[in-house]
C-alpha cells in the first residue's frame, strides 16, 4: 500500500458530493444531497460562566467590546450572566465593565448590578463601569454601606466616566467611602466644590 493507503472509488454523476462510508479506506460518491450537520455553538453566557469561581478576585470584561455591535438578545444574555454571577463572587476585589460604546457593545451593566455588588461584594476596591448609560446615581448609592446593605466600604478607585450620574449625587456618596483615593468622573471638580459647600 502507498503512504495514503488504498482507496476504491465508484463513478458518480457530475455535481454529486462525496459521502464517507464506515470503511475508512473507501470513499463513495452519491447523487443525493448531503445532509447538513447541526453545529451547536455555545451561547455567550455559558462561555462566561466558566470563568466564575468563588475565589475569583479580579474580573475584567472590557475586551468584550472588541465584539463590536451585538444584538439585543446578546445584551440580555450578558446582563443575565452578570446578575447570576455577582452573588457568587464574595471575594471580588476588582471589576472592570467599561465599554466605550455601551449602546451597541459589551460589556454592559445597570443599577441592578451595582446593587448586587453592594449586597455581595463588600471586598471590592476597584470598580470601572465607565460609559454605561444604565448606571445612575441611584445605583452608585447602593455601593455605600447602610441598613441591610453591606456596601463596598473598601473602594479606593471608582471610575464613572460618561455614566448617567450627576455631581450632586456623587457628592453625597463620596464622604461615605472613606478609603476612596481616585474618582474617575468628568465633573470631579464640581463634586469637590459641592463637598466644600456642604462643609461650609
Amino acid at each position: 500500500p502507498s503512504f495514503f493507503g488504498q482507496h476504491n472509488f465508484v463513478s458518480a454523476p457530475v455535481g454529486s458530493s462525496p459521502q464517507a462510508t464506515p470503511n475508512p479506506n473507501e470513499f463513495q460518491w452519491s447523487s443525493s444531497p448531503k445532509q447538513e450537520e447541526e453545529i451547536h455553538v455555545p451561547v455567550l453566557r455559558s462561555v462566561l460562566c466558566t470563568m466564575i469561581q468563588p475565589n475569583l478576585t479580579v474580573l475584567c470584561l472590557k475586551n468584550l467590546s472588541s465584539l463590536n455591535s451585538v444584538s439585543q438578545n446578546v445584551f440580555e444574555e450578558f446582563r443575565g450572566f452578570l446578575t447570576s454571577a455577582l452573588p457568587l463572587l464574595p471575594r471580588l476585589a476588582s471589576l472592570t465593565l467599561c465599554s466605550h460604546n455601551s449602546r451597541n457593545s459589551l460589556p454592559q451593566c445597570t443599577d441592578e448590578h451595582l446593587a448586587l455588588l453592594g449586597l455581595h461584594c463588600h471586598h471590592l476596591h476597584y470598580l470601572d463601569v465607565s460609559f454605561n448609560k444604565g448606571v445612575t446615581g441611584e445605583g452608585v448609592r447602593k455601593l455605600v454601606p447602610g441598613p441591610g446593605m453591606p456596601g463596598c466600604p473598601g473602594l479606593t478607585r471608582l471610575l464613572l466616566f460618561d455614566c448617567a450620574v450627576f455631581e450632586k449625587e456623587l457628592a453625597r456618596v463620596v464622604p461615605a467611602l472613606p478609603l476612596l483615593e481616585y474618582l474617575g468622573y468628568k465633573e470631579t471638580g464640581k463634586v469637590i466644590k459641592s463637598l466644600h459647600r456642604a462643609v461650609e
Side-chain angles (χ1 to χ4, degrees), residues 10-18 28-32:
V10 293
S11 60
V14 176
S16 59
S17 59
Q28 288 186 2
W29 292 82
S30 170
S31 58
S32 61

Side-chain angles (χ1 to χ4, degrees), residues 37-158:
E37 291 186 14
E38 189 174 339
I39 299 175
H40 296 281
V41 178
V43 295
L44 178 66
R45 184 172 181 170
S46 64
V47 174
L48 292 173
C49 283
T50 61
M51 301 185 301
I52 302 305
Q53 303 294 329
N55 293 329
L56 188 71
T57 58
V58 177
L59 181 58
C60 178
L61 297 172
K62 69 178 180 179
N63 286 338
L64 287 175
S65 60
S66 62
L67 295 174
N68 295 322
S69 297
V70 295
S71 60
Q72 185 60 37
N73 64 320
V74 176
F75 283 141
E76 293 171 2
E77 193 75 24
F78 179 80
R79 293 190 197 109
F81 152 75
L82 204 56
T83 298
S84 60
L86 293 178
L88 304 176
L89 301 174
R91 299 188 180 183
L92 191 65
S94 175
L95 177 62
T96 304
L97 294 170
C98 61
S99 172
H100 288 282
N101 189 8
S102 63
R103 294 185 186 277
N104 299 312
S105 64
L106 296 174
Q108 283 199 347
C109 70
T110 64
D111 288 347
E112 174 193 357
H113 300 114
L114 296 191
L116 289 172
L117 288 173
L119 276 172
H120 303 284
C121 306
H122 57 273
H123 294 296
L124 197 69
H125 65 77
Y126 178 93
L127 177 63
D128 185 356
V129 292
S130 298
F131 311 107
N132 278 282
K133 304 300 183 184
V135 171
T136 70
E138 181 66 30
V140 175
R141 281 196 293 273
K142 301 295 184 182
L143 301 174
V144 174
M149 179 71 70
C152 306
L155 268 176
T156 58
R157 296 176 69 85
L158 177 61

